[in-house]
Amino acid sequence: QVQLVESGGGLVQPGGSLRLSCAASGLPFSNYAMGWFRQAPGKEREFVAAITRSGSITDYLDSVKGRFTISRDNAKNTVYLQMSSLKPEDTAVYSCAGRFVGTTRNPLLYRYWGQGTQVTVSS
């Protein structure tokens, strides 16, 4: 059974930082591209970042470039999202997703999903 479990969310002040983790089990993790998506109340799910199987190539939503960093540790079956200089508009439920082989920004093409972790940026 495939499981993706996110952790690391919480309440943070504007300008603060958080690191999200997504631990995978039940799948050959190094064969899967991984992505992070977010969904704010009343809004559609939005691509945030993605990383290739080896971790050599990353892709980011323009509004998070320079503030967020996606990385992975294939030995630990874990993908991370380091978030810095957080803004209130970053508030959302953040979910990780896995896709066999290549990355994409289209959430419909990811097969496996975690349940998400809430990130709230507020003073």
Side-chain angles (χ1 to χ4, degrees), residues 52-73:
T52 54
R53 292 172 293 169
S54 67
S56 60
I57 299 173
T58 56
D59 185 24
Y60 295 94
L61 178 69
D62 282 349
S63 63
V64 308
K65 282 182 181 177
R67 300 189 298 122
F68 290 11
T69 301
I70 188 171
S71 62
R72 67 190 294 160
D73 185 339

Side-chain angles (χ1 to χ4, degrees), residues 78-99:
T78 302
V79 61
Y80 305 96
L81 186 68
Q82 177 68 48
M83 306 186 293
S84 304
S85 301
L86 282 161
K87 304 175 182 180
E89 51 263 43
D90 294 319
T91 296
V93 174
Y94 283 72
S95 300
C96 65
R99 179 174 189 261

